[in-house]
Each structure stands twice: as structure tokens, then as C-alpha cells.
Amino acid sequence: MAQKLRYPIGIQTFEKLRSDDYLYIDKTAFLYGLRHSSGKTYLLSRPRRFGKSLLLSTMQAYWEGRRDLFEGLAVS
């Protein structure tokens, strides 16, 4: 039987989302692409309530080298 994951309603930190087994749609391949591109400035514009805080939290964990949080994801 498959493990039932909870929806991350109101969860805005990548660490809490990953460590407490909430549902997470893996978009970390975009972080890898962003990191290895040649651009100097990026505008991260998204509509209200569309994951800006979670994206920044994910980026923070990525640049801090929190490998444990990315286990099983595209960037691992």
C-alpha cells in the first residue's frame, strides 16, 4: 500500500515540508539549471500565494548544502 502524504497547506519552509513527509512536487531540477546558467540577475516574479517563500527556502537549503533534504529529488 502506498504511503499517504499530507497536503502542505500553509507550509512555507522546504525543511519542514521535507522532514514531516508532506506532498512535494519536485522542481529542484530548475534550481540546478538556475545555478549553472550564465545569467547575472534573475527576477522571480510569481502571483500572490504561488510559492515564493517556499522557492526561496528551497534555494537557501540548496546553497547551504543541506543534502539530507534533497535525498530522492532531481538535484541529488
Side-chain angles (χ1 to χ4, degrees), residues 14-46:
F14 182 70
E15 180 178 6
K16 180 161 181 58
L17 198 144
R18 292 291 290 166
S19 62
D20 292 347
D21 291 326
Y22 283 97
L23 177 67
Y24 178 70
I25 306 301
D26 186 12
K27 296 182 181 179
T28 58
F30 294 113
L31 284 182
Y32 183 83
L34 183 67
R35 170 65 177 97
H36 296 290
S37 68
S38 61
K40 290 184 178 183
T41 305
Y42 297 96
L43 174 64
L44 301 173
S45 176
R46 300 179 104 171

Side-chain angles (χ1 to χ4, degrees), residues 13-16 31 35 54-70 75:
T13 61
F14 182 70
E15 180 178 6
K16 180 161 181 58
L31 284 182
R35 170 65 177 97
L54 179 58
L55 174 64
L56 290 177
S57 175
T58 306
M59 292 172 82
Q60 179 181 6
Y62 180 74
W63 270 280
E64 286 178 350
R66 299 285 314 272
R67 293 179 190 265
D68 57 314
L69 297 177
F70 291 94
V75 295

